[in-house]
Amino acid sequence: MERYKVVIIGSGNVACHLAKVIDKFHHVVQVYSRNIENASNLAVQLHDCNCIDSLNEIEMNADLYLISVSDDAIKDVIDAMPKVKGVVAHTSGSIGIEVLSRKMRHVGVFYPLQTFSKEVEVKLSEVPIFLEASDQQSLSALETLAHALSDKIFYANSDQRQTLHIAAVFACNFFNHLLYLSTEILKEKGYSLDVLYPLINVTVSKAFSAGAFNSQTGPAVRGDINTIHKHIDLVDPSIKEIYQILSQSIIDRHEIHKNI
Amino acid sequence: MERYKVVIIGSGNVACHLAKVIDKFHHVVQVYSRNIENASNLAVQLHDCNCIDSLNEIEMNADLYLISVSDDAIKDVIDAMPKVKGVVAHTSGSIGIEVLSRKMRHVGVFYPLQTFSKEVEVKLSEVPIFLEASDQQSLSALETLAHALSDKIFYANSDQRQTLHIAAVFACNFFNHLLYLSTEILKEKGYSLDVLYPLINVTVSKAFSAGAFNSQTGPAVRGDINTIHKHIDLVDPSIKEIYQILSQSIIDRHEIHKNI
């Protein structure tokens, strides 16, 4: 495998996770951050890597420039960067490729579908990476990089990435909020969310083995309107509507033909 | 530990899971099912156990009778059973203890908070078991039984079990439905739900380590109304309201002070 010279632009959670794994297979020559201390903290963890806080000092002969900054800052980075010959890719799920191609020739998107934080260790090898590129040469470079990191490589244009983001909002952001609402419900009777942990784990396992449609359980899919009404009466006024709308959605999708 | 004589009434998923584990520590003397074949299929997997399909033939000298049938059938079982001296307990989350105490003297509830199915293996030792009993003697018997099965014993009266059920509807039934909606969203662009598996796993880990409130991510908690509007425009009409109401709930709980 060809060993690329890679420049990492950014020093947040995604940049750090990616840089450390890329460092095992390629040469991360430089880390940029507006804050030189952050750049330095990351660079010292990598082999033979320098750090900069000005995009004018960027290494001109790198094969790949990975921009892993907040969505709002991507355009500013491109504006401030000199025009380079290597492949320039960002790691954002919601920003289009065109923000890069206005200025650079070889561009792409390298989007790992995962939430990165300091608290939870992430096995990058299991994280799906979604690629998009302006041309075959750029795509090949991103594929080479991706294959070193993960077993799960997919392709997604901007429209598809948008859809991935929406699906993740449902399955992760909204799910997490349901966990918060459950926490509050349980707290009132003296229990912690922990009592639901085994049930949640099995719910995940079943949804991925048998499919979420076939795995649906609970009052709504049984058409048990009595229990649904009892629950809606009992829950806090702020979540009655959520209970009602999600239950009706289950009833409708499973064609139970009842109204709450 | 005292070795109890236990009668299992029912032969469904919960009855089978419980019977096999109880059999390791106590003596399951008898299995009842309306369908003698089902009773027999379970009984042959246990040590020195007979099977019956008539409640008149029930063993009168057992220490414990565990009724693990559908909620609707519990009352019928009690009506048809002779009055026994041992402890009679059901395993339902939503049925009160009084359905038993009308006829029997020593009664209780033995509620394992888990969904049992043939497809997914369940480690009973990690499943929380919620107990309720009419008297100290019945409670002791149920505690002895529970401690042999699980490390997680809790107490719950009917009101608390109701709350556990509501919390489980949010964290499991509604969550599973969100997974189904995500499946549909992804399918339209050629992806399977599998691409979200690592993200969902980390979402669960973070919620249980840092708490769901602190772990909330996504457009709503960032107050990113533009993205929320874009998503609501893009999704299928049948789920626009779900997106809107859950996002507004996140915004309100996190005191972002914005309206979608």
Side-chain angles (χ1 to χ4, degrees):
Chain A
M1 192 181 72
E2 204 181 340
R3 193 156 177 269
Y4 291 140
K5 282 181 169 179
V6 182
V7 172
I8 301 286
I9 296 165
S11 59
N13 287 326
V14 183
C16 287
H17 266 90
L18 290 178
K20 287 177 203 165
V21 184
I22 293 171
D23 185 56
K24 293 181 189 165
F25 303 95
H26 300 281
H27 182 195
V28 179
V29 292
Q30 201 172 48
V31 171
Y32 161 83
S33 169
R34 278 181 306 185
N35 178 324
I36 193 70
E37 252 185 82
N38 292 347
S40 167
N41 284 342
L42 176 54
V44 295
Q45 299 180 62
L46 310 173
H47 298 92
D48 188 18
C49 174
N50 69 55
C51 59
I52 54 170
D53 62 357
S54 158
L55 288 164
N56 293 322
E57 297 164 44
I58 210 161
E59 165 68 45
M60 294 300 289
N61 294 315
D63 301 296
L64 230 150
Y65 300 81
L66 214 54
I67 304 175
S68 192
V69 298
S70 67
D71 287 356
D72 300 338
I74 294 176
K75 198 181 162 297
D76 298 340
V77 164
I78 288 295
D79 289 346
M81 250 178 95
K83 193 169 173 175
V84 293
K85 282 175 287 174
V87 176
V88 180
H90 72 63
T91 62
S92 163
S94 34
I95 301 292
I97 194 172
E98 66 284 352
V99 66
L100 309 176
S101 52
R102 280 192 211 111
K103 177 163 182 181
M104 306 296 179
R105 179 150 173 220
H106 297 295
V107 300
V109 179
F110 187 96
Y111 172 48
L113 184 53
Q114 183 53 285
T115 171
F116 295 94
S117 61
K118 284 180 185 82
E119 305 92 51
V120 176
E121 181 82 17
V122 166
K123 275 191 205 163
L124 211 58
S125 63
E126 291 167 9
V127 172
I129 297 177
F130 292 83
L131 304 179
E132 181 180 12
S134 58
D135 58 290
Q136 190 52 49
Q137 186 190 327
S138 306
L139 188 61
S140 296
L142 293 176
E143 283 174 338
T144 302
L145 193 71
H147 280 296
L149 270 58
S150 170
D151 304 328
K152 296 179 180 166
I153 314 301
F154 297 88
Y155 302 91
N157 58 29
S158 297
D159 170 55
Q160 289 172 307
R161 275 201 309 282
Q162 179 109 270
T163 298
L164 291 165
H165 190 205
I166 295 175
V169 168
F170 277 83
C172 299
N173 301 156
F174 290 166
F175 164 45
N176 182 75
H177 185 58
L178 294 181
L179 291 180
Y180 170 63
L181 298 178
S182 297
T183 307
E184 294 291 293
I185 292 167
L186 291 166
K187 198 159 68 179
E188 214 177 296
K189 303 285 175 182
Y191 300 116
S192 97
L193 186 66
D194 293 345
V195 299
L196 290 180
Y197 187 71
L199 188 53
I200 290 165
N201 261 337
V202 170
T203 303
V204 173
S205 298
K206 280 171 81 172
F208 280 91
S209 59
F213 189 85
N214 298 326
S215 306
Q216 188 65 52
T217 56
V221 76
R222 288 198 307 271
D224 181 353
I225 301 289
N226 283 341
T227 297
I228 291 172
H229 282 165
K230 206 158 68 173
H231 285 179
I232 292 175
D233 276 351
L234 284 169
V235 296
D236 187 82
S238 64
I239 58 174
K240 285 183 195 299
E241 201 180 8
I242 293 175
Y243 192 107
Q244 195 258 321
I245 281 171
L246 285 171
S247 294
Q248 190 64 56
S249 177
I250 293 170
I251 286 172
D252 294 345
R253 296 296 177 125
H254 288 264
E255 301 183 2
I256 311 287
H257 304 297
K258 288 195 180 176
N259 281 308
I260 295 168
Chain B
M1 192 180 73
E2 203 182 339
R3 195 157 174 269
Y4 289 139
K5 282 182 171 179
V6 182
V7 172
I8 302 286
I9 297 164
S11 59
N13 288 323
V14 182
C16 288
H17 267 89
L18 291 177
K20 286 177 203 165
V21 184
I22 292 171
D23 186 55
K24 292 180 190 168
F25 303 95
H26 300 279
H27 182 197
V28 178
V29 291
Q30 201 172 47
V31 171
Y32 161 84
S33 169
R34 275 181 308 186
N35 179 323
I36 192 72
E37 252 185 83
N38 292 346
S40 166
N41 284 341
L42 175 54
V44 294
Q45 299 178 62
L46 309 174
H47 298 91
D48 187 19
C49 174
N50 68 55
C51 59
I52 54 171
D53 63 358
S54 158
L55 287 165
N56 293 323
E57 298 164 43
I58 210 161
E59 166 67 47
M60 293 300 288
N61 294 316
D63 301 294
L64 229 150
Y65 299 80
L66 213 52
I67 304 175
S68 192
V69 298
S70 68
D71 287 356
D72 300 337
I74 294 176
K75 196 181 163 298
D76 298 341
V77 164
I78 288 295
D79 288 346
M81 250 179 95
K83 192 167 174 178
V84 292
K85 280 175 288 172
V87 177
V88 180
H90 72 63
T91 63
S92 162
S94 34
I95 301 292
I97 194 172
E98 66 284 353
V99 67
L100 309 177
S101 51
R102 277 193 213 113
K103 178 163 181 180
M104 305 297 179
R105 177 147 175 223
H106 297 293
V107 299
V109 180
F110 187 94
Y111 172 47
L113 184 52
Q114 182 55 283
T115 169
F116 295 93
S117 62
K118 283 183 185 81
E119 306 91 50
V120 175
E121 180 82 16
V122 167
K123 275 190 206 162
L124 211 58
S125 63
E126 291 166 10
V127 172
I129 297 178
F130 292 83
L131 304 179
E132 181 180 9
S134 58
D135 56 292
Q136 190 51 48
Q137 184 190 330
S138 305
L139 188 62
S140 296
L142 294 176
E143 283 175 337
T144 302
L145 192 72
H147 280 297
L149 270 57
S150 169
D151 303 327
K152 296 178 180 167
I153 313 302
F154 297 88
Y155 301 90
N157 57 29
S158 296
D159 171 56
Q160 288 172 309
R161 274 201 310 281
Q162 179 110 272
T163 298
L164 290 165
H165 190 205
I166 294 175
V169 168
F170 276 83
C172 299
N173 300 156
F174 290 167
F175 165 45
N176 182 73
H177 185 57
L178 294 180
L179 290 180
Y180 171 64
L181 297 178
S182 296
T183 306
E184 293 292 292
I185 292 166
L186 291 166
K187 197 159 70 180
E188 214 178 294
K189 303 285 175 181
Y191 300 115
S192 95
L193 187 66
D194 292 345
V195 300
L196 290 181
Y197 187 71
L199 189 52
I200 290 164
N201 261 336
V202 170
T203 302
V204 173
S205 298
K206 280 170 79 171
F208 280 91
S209 59
F213 189 85
N214 298 325
S215 305
Q216 188 64 52
T217 57
V221 75
R222 288 198 309 272
D224 181 353
I225 301 288
N226 284 339
T227 298
I228 291 172
H229 282 162
K230 208 158 69 174
H231 285 179
I232 292 176
D233 276 352
L234 284 168
V235 296
D236 187 82
S238 64
I239 58 174
K240 284 184 196 298
E241 203 181 6
I242 292 175
Y243 192 109
Q244 195 258 321
I245 282 172
L246 286 172
S247 295
Q248 190 65 55
S249 176
I250 294 170
I251 287 173
D252 294 344
R253 295 296 177 127
H254 289 264
E255 301 184 3
I256 311 288
H257 303 299
K258 288 192 179 178
N259 282 308
I260 295 169

